[in-house]
Amino acid sequence: MNRIQKPKGTLDILPADIGLWQYIENAVRDIARINGFQEIRMPTFEATELFCRGVGDTTDVVGKEMYTFTDKDGSSLSLRPEGTAGVARSVIENGLYAGAMPLKLFYLSNFFRREKPQAGRSREFWQFGTELYGSSRPEADAQVILLADALFKKLGLTKVTLRINSIGCPECRPSYRKALLEYFSQFESELCDTCRERLQKNPLRVLDCKSPICSGIAKNAPKTLEHLCGGCESHFESLKKHLDDCGVEYIVDPSIVRGLDYYTGTVFEFTVDSIGAQSTVCGGGRYDGLLASIGGPEMPAVGFGMGITRLIQALKDENLVPELASGCDIYIAPLGDNASSGAFVLAHKLRAAGVSAETDICGRSLKAQMKYADKAGARYVLVVGDNELEEGVAELRDMRGGERVKVALSVDAIIEAIK
Ligand code: ATP
Ligand code: MG
């Protein structure tokens, strides 16, 4: 019979890898807690309109990459391609905007985009994201950037570069838009089909196009920083000062515009060159207009999304994957039928006391059991035969080559011995 395979571009995270994922997840939760960000979990699918209005239908993410389907009642739903729009909807729907400000939220979720699978790019992927609502000040931008930076440092990464830019607010946008339109119009016939189509509607998107011809043309396009209004300029200057004051290095990179329509003002990326073409580990910025654009109140916001698989690649490249202990605390190897039921109960009692204990449930020989205990990474092995059961004492072997000691067959004595 045909074997069924996982859908293209998806990932099985196997037990051998899960320790690393949990290590990263723990680091994320720790950094979020230290920075006062609380976890939020959103639905895996939302009304398609949320992403069209929130993220923008001229973006690649919404225009080309979304998994959209019609529900039985005829409504259009989409698997979430990113987290910011869903959080914004939730902030409005649950009235979180009326609570204490700033509102600091984070998520660790899976997202879905129908992209061409390659290294660092899959169709289901995971992001750690932060969303800070209720402050328009540069300190808020600085805080989310510092949070991401702190995570990289906590994980030991040294080859991460922070790139920042400002793409201006609705006040500076018209003059910039005009300059861009004038510039790109000269090359209109050379642009890819998508960019030619979206040029009039949103010339900014051409700057983020991945096609080599468009990105070549975009290199010499007018820079947002030359078109900032006074407010945006001083905001950007203060952000830089806060980063300088906190000792965080950055590059001002005018080519960073981000691929989603909701960004205004500050945008930033953290890149790791060693991980190849998909070098952006984290991307974010300010999106002051988002809440109102999906029916909420006017409220400034800033945040980022960080790709977990790219983070893992960066850790591997810098040899920073920690040795993680796995396996049980103790394997109880019974010899004979009597011993077998005794061992079964003892393992049960140890587990009830919080010790990870295993025993034979496959009817194996002692030799095969020892082999299994070794493979399973047992820290200690206790061999229990009929004699041992009678005497109430057995030999405890330290599997890391330590000494063998006699231990009484009671939960307390065993816990004491393996402590
Ligand atoms: P890229 O330019 O690499 O396509 P993006 O601008 O589409 O990234 P965002 O939407 O800002 O990315 O998402 C933030 C982060 O999530 C990215 O920097 C990346 O680390 C990760 N990410 C995005 N898309 C994918 C994907 N298809 N597979 C794995 N990680 C992804
Ligand atoms: Mg993308």
Side-chain angles (χ1 to χ4, degrees):
M1 237 199 284
N2 279 348
R3 278 207 224 153
I4 298 168
Q5 295 187 320
K6 63 179 161 52
K8 194 173 163 186
T10 60
L11 211 66
D12 287 321
I13 304 167
L14 301 174
D17 300 318
I18 204 72
L20 178 56
W21 281 76
Q22 289 168 346
Y23 164 72
I24 291 172
E25 288 161 5
N26 290 340
V28 160
R29 287 179 201 287
D30 204 38
I31 287 287
R33 180 187 58 77
I34 290 169
N35 284 271
F37 282 67
Q38 287 186 304
E39 183 169 359
I40 182 167
R41 298 187 189 186
M42 306 85 71
T44 308
F45 52 88
E46 299 266 7
T48 302
E49 195 191 347
L50 172 66
F51 302 114
C52 293
R53 270 164 61 191
V55 181
D57 44 18
T58 59
T59 62
D60 284 353
V61 171
V62 171
K64 299 185 192 168
E65 300 168 358
M66 221 152 52
Y67 283 97
T68 296
F69 60 97
T70 307
D71 202 359
K72 286 190 174 142
D73 63 3
S75 56
S76 179
L77 298 172
S78 294
L79 297 185
R80 55 183 177 198
E82 57 92 63
T84 299
V87 172
R89 185 215 30 82
S90 182
V91 164
I92 298 169
E93 194 165 337
N94 298 291
L96 302 185
Y97 58 82
M101 286 292 148
L103 174 65
K104 297 188 281 183
L105 303 169
F106 84 90
Y107 52 81
L108 239 174
S109 318
N110 52 343
F111 297 99
F112 308 87
R113 295 183 192 175
R114 200 171 192 294
E115 304 199 67
K116 192 168 159 235
Q118 52 200 285
R121 197 178 288 290
S122 48
R123 291 182 170 178
E124 179 178 20
F125 61 97
W126 283 259
Q127 274 185 3
F128 161 44
T130 57
E131 315 281 334
L132 190 160
Y133 279 94
S135 170
S136 57
R137 295 178 61 91
E139 288 84 347
D141 312 30
Q143 190 179 353
V144 297
I145 292 174
L146 290 169
L147 187 157
D149 182 70
L151 179 63
F152 295 133
K153 290 193 171 130
K154 184 181 172 77
L155 296 171
L157 290 164
T158 58
K159 295 187 183 140
V160 185
T161 308
L162 168 61
R163 297 165 190 277
I164 60 173
N165 188 24
S166 172
I167 57 171
C169 66
E171 200 179 311
C172 15
R173 204 54 78 70
S175 102
Y176 182 58
R177 203 189 119 91
K178 192 161 160 270
L180 267 189
L181 206 56
E182 266 167 29
Y183 173 80
F184 282 126
S185 297
Q186 310 167 63
F187 305 98
E188 191 160 351
S189 58
E190 294 167 51
L191 297 175
C192 74
D193 292 349
T194 317
C195 283
R196 222 176 307 130
E197 234 170 73
R198 61 189 173 187
L199 181 60
Q200 295 296 332
K201 211 171 160 196
N202 193 348
L204 211 68
R205 286 279 66 84
V206 185
L207 294 174
D208 200 48
C209 182
K210 301 252 172 10
S211 104
I213 294 178
C214 295
S215 51
I217 295 172
K219 273 206 178 81
N220 298 316
K223 307 285 181 264
T224 50
L225 289 177
E226 292 154 10
H227 290 263
L228 295 185
C229 65
C232 283
E233 203 175 303
S234 68
H235 185 101
F236 194 56
E237 288 307 311
S238 308
L239 168 62
K240 290 196 285 186
K241 181 169 184 310
H242 290 309
L243 295 176
D244 290 337
D245 290 348
C246 294
V248 170
E249 286 177 26
Y250 55 85
I251 296 175
V252 174
D253 183 345
S255 75
I256 289 181
V257 293
R258 311 293 307 128
L260 314 173
D261 275 356
Y262 47 62
Y263 288 111
T264 51
T266 307
V267 286
F268 60 88
E269 290 186 357
F270 285 88
T271 56
V272 181
D273 290 337
S274 67
I275 63 176
Q278 319 310 332
S279 62
T280 306
V281 181
C282 174
R286 191 163 264 291
Y287 34 90
D288 292 345
L290 175 63
L291 221 60
S293 80
I294 56 167
E298 289 283 343
M299 179 165 284
V302 58
F304 64 71
M306 187 184 293
I308 303 294
T309 43
R310 292 189 198 173
L311 188 59
I312 287 178
Q313 197 50 52
L315 286 174
K316 288 185 174 163
D317 290 348
E318 282 206 54
N319 258 325
L320 291 168
V321 177
E323 284 281 337
L324 297 163
S326 66
C328 62
D329 296 329
I330 183 165
Y331 181 87
I332 303 167
L335 255 177
D337 285 346
N338 261 347
S340 186
S341 46
F344 194 78
V345 174
L346 185 57
H348 167 71
K349 285 184 180 165
L350 282 166
R351 288 194 289 261
V355 176
S356 78
E358 283 197 55
T359 186
D360 180 48
I361 51 170
C362 296
R364 288 191 178 114
S365 69
L366 183 64
K367 194 173 157 208
Q369 288 189 59
M370 293 306 286
K371 217 166 141 183
Y372 170 79
D374 189 43
K375 255 197 213 156
R379 177 80 176 84
Y380 290 95
V381 170
L382 191 69
V383 181
V384 183
D386 289 345
N387 282 349
E388 282 80 6
L389 270 183
E390 213 163 280
E391 288 165 21
V393 177
E395 192 180 76
L396 185 70
R397 303 183 190 177
D398 183 337
M399 296 295 275
R400 287 185 217 159
E403 56 189 25
R404 299 178 175 201
V405 293
K406 293 270 180 211
V407 61
L409 291 181
S410 78
V411 170
D412 288 347
I414 293 171
I415 290 178
E416 183 61 29
I418 68 174
K419 197 160 65 184

